[in-house]
């Protein structure tokens, strides 16, 4: 077993253990009506959502005689294919990162910057979360550690101005990657969401092709609140991909399937711990294999 798969499996242990109480062990075939009901209930409790859980069970029962293996195939097939990142042919790749406070957004940006630097790319990060001085300082630590550069202004500065300066510097100095952080806005605050929309508009004015991607960071343990967040941020900021963090802290790994399926958005990364290595590029088959309890024939 690869170290990558081992870390993923270990990180999803709470979700897998919760599902193991509902998914029958032993023989993978000839499941009874009651067992399928238990499986559906288990998927709902893992935050797959009632509609998707029912659809998964229905689809699995029609495949390969209705086995747990068929359930795994159904889960994988319902996840949107992860297309390559929309990187431009010339000029910097501009990534806008959004999400509410508490999702691990700032740390995630630092990890992404580190990953790009490890690929040999030059990285510029714009600290447009100017409402919290602590957020800027936390981001600065990660940026310095990554060997990236940073654009920052004083606390309370106009976030759109920081974003504009970041893009202009990124283009002028020919950076490979430009990442713009944003304030951890609550999706129900109209004024803050308007500010986020302004940041996006200013980025496009500074560099008409940008942003090339908008990745939203969501806390995997927040259930239906995460669904509402994605719905609103997609409307305002144009979310193009998801990063689901803190999956090691709850038994709710099914939220990844619900979000991706409901909104048709690719999951770019999943977070199952605090270290750099615990932010993992999403692989549908490995994720589902780590989420479902091990099955073996009697």
């Amino acid at each position: 077993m690869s170290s990558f798969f081992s870390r993923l499996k270990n990180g999803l242990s709470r979700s897998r253990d919760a599902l193991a109480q509902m998914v029958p062990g032993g023989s993978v075939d000839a499941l009874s009506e009651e067992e399928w009901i238990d499986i559906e209930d288990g998927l709902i409790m893992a935050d797959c959502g009632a509609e998707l859980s029912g659809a998964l069970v229905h689809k699995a029962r029609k495949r390969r005689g209705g086995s747990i293996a068929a359930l795994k195939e159904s889960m994988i097939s319902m996840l949107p294919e992860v297309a390559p990142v929309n990187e431009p042919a010339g000029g910097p790749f501009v990534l806008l990162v959004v999400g509410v406070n508490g999702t691990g957004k700032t740390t995630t940006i630092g990890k992404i910057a580190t990953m790009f630097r490890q690929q040999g790319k030059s990285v510029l990060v714009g600290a447009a979360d100017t409402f919290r001085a602590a957020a800027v300082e936390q981001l600065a630590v990660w940026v310095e550690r990554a060997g990236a550069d940073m654009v920052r202004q004083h606390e309370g500065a106009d976030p759109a101005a920081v974003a504009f300066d970041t893009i202009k510097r990124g283009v002028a100095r020919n950076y490979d990657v430009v990442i713009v952080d944003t304030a951890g806005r609550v999706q129900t605050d109209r004024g803050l969401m308007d500010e986020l929309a302004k940041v996006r508009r200013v980025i496009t004015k500074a560099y008409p092709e940008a942003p090339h991607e908008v990745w939203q960071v969501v806390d995997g343990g927040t259930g239906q609140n995460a669904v509402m967040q994605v719905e609103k941020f997609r409307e305002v900021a144009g979310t193009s991909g998801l990063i689901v963090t803190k999956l090691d802290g709850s038994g709710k790994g099914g939220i990844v399937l619900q979000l991706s399926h409901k909104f048709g958005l690719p999951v770019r990364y999943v977070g199952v711990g605090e270290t750099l290595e615990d932010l993992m590029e999403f692989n549908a088959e490995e994720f589902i294999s780590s989420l479902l309890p091990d099955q073996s024939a009697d």
Side-chain angles (χ1 to χ4, degrees):
M1 183 183 294
S2 70
S3 59
F4 175 93
F5 185 71
S6 297
R7 286 199 310 276
L8 181 61
K9 193 166 186 177
N10 183 61
L12 292 173
S13 60
R14 290 192 181 187
S15 295
R16 188 171 59 258
D17 291 346
L19 277 172
Q21 298 177 33
M22 309 298 285
V23 176
S27 175
V28 297
D29 296 312
L31 298 177
S32 68
E33 180 71 23
E34 291 75 16
E35 287 174 322
W36 278 115
I37 291 173
D38 284 343
I39 290 172
E40 184 172 347
D41 289 345
L43 292 173
I44 292 172
M45 287 189 288
D47 260 348
C48 285
E51 182 180 350
L52 178 58
S53 298
L56 286 168
V57 166
H58 177 74
K59 192 172 182 179
R61 295 185 71 170
K62 293 171 62 177
R63 286 175 101 152
R64 290 176 51 180
S67 64
I68 296 299
L71 176 64
K72 176 181 175 181
E73 291 173 1
S74 297
M75 294 170 82
I76 293 171
S77 69
M78 282 195 172
L79 286 166
E81 186 175 345
V82 180
V85 172
N86 182 30
E87 294 192 49
F93 165 60
V94 178
L95 170 64
L96 178 63
V97 183
V98 301
V100 304
N101 287 334
T103 59
K105 175 173 61 66
T106 302
T107 302
T108 298
I109 290 172
K111 292 178 179 179
I112 292 172
T114 302
M115 291 176 181
F116 279 125
R117 288 292 295 134
Q118 289 176 342
Q119 296 170 16
K121 296 181 178 180
S122 57
V123 178
L124 180 66
V125 179
D129 185 355
T130 59
F131 296 104
R132 292 190 307 130
V136 176
E137 295 305 321
Q138 182 187 11
L139 185 61
V141 171
W142 271 102
V143 169
E144 182 179 0
R145 188 183 301 167
D149 297 322
M150 185 170 173
V151 174
R152 60 188 294 180
Q153 294 185 13
H154 60 85
E155 183 179 356
D158 182 1
V162 176
F164 185 85
D165 290 348
T166 303
I167 301 303
K168 284 298 188 182
R169 184 180 302 182
V171 173
R173 300 187 182 181
N174 200 31
Y175 280 87
D176 296 314
V177 178
V178 176
I179 304 172
V180 179
D181 187 14
T182 56
R185 292 163 171 78
V186 179
Q187 74 274 13
T188 55
D189 190 318
R190 184 69 255 174
L192 291 176
M193 294 303 284
D194 287 345
E195 182 66 41
L196 176 58
K198 179 183 174 183
V199 168
R200 180 179 173 119
R201 290 196 305 271
V202 165
I203 288 174
T204 304
K205 286 181 180 178
Y207 186 22
E209 299 178 9
H212 301 99
E213 294 275 356
V214 180
W215 291 351
Q216 181 175 347
V217 183
V218 295
D219 180 342
T222 55
Q224 292 308 299
N225 194 31
V227 176
M228 291 186 288
Q229 288 171 23
V230 174
E231 186 169 25
K232 193 62 180 179
F233 276 87
R234 187 177 65 158
E235 175 188 332
V236 173
T239 301
S240 62
L242 301 173
I243 300 174
V244 186
T245 62
K246 304 186 180 184
L247 288 169
D248 55 317
S250 72
K252 305 295 185 180
I255 192 65
V256 172
L257 282 84
Q258 183 181 174
L259 291 174
S260 187
H261 178 71
K262 181 178 180 65
F263 297 105
L265 292 170
V267 177
R268 291 296 179 183
Y269 294 93
V270 290
V272 293
E274 295 296 324
T275 70
L276 173 63
E277 292 76 17
D278 290 326
L279 184 67
M280 304 178 183
E281 195 168 350
F282 184 73
N283 177 290
E285 185 169 357
E286 291 185 347
F287 181 84
I288 298 303
S289 295
S290 300
L291 182 65
L292 288 175
D294 293 327
Q295 294 290 315
S296 58
D298 287 339

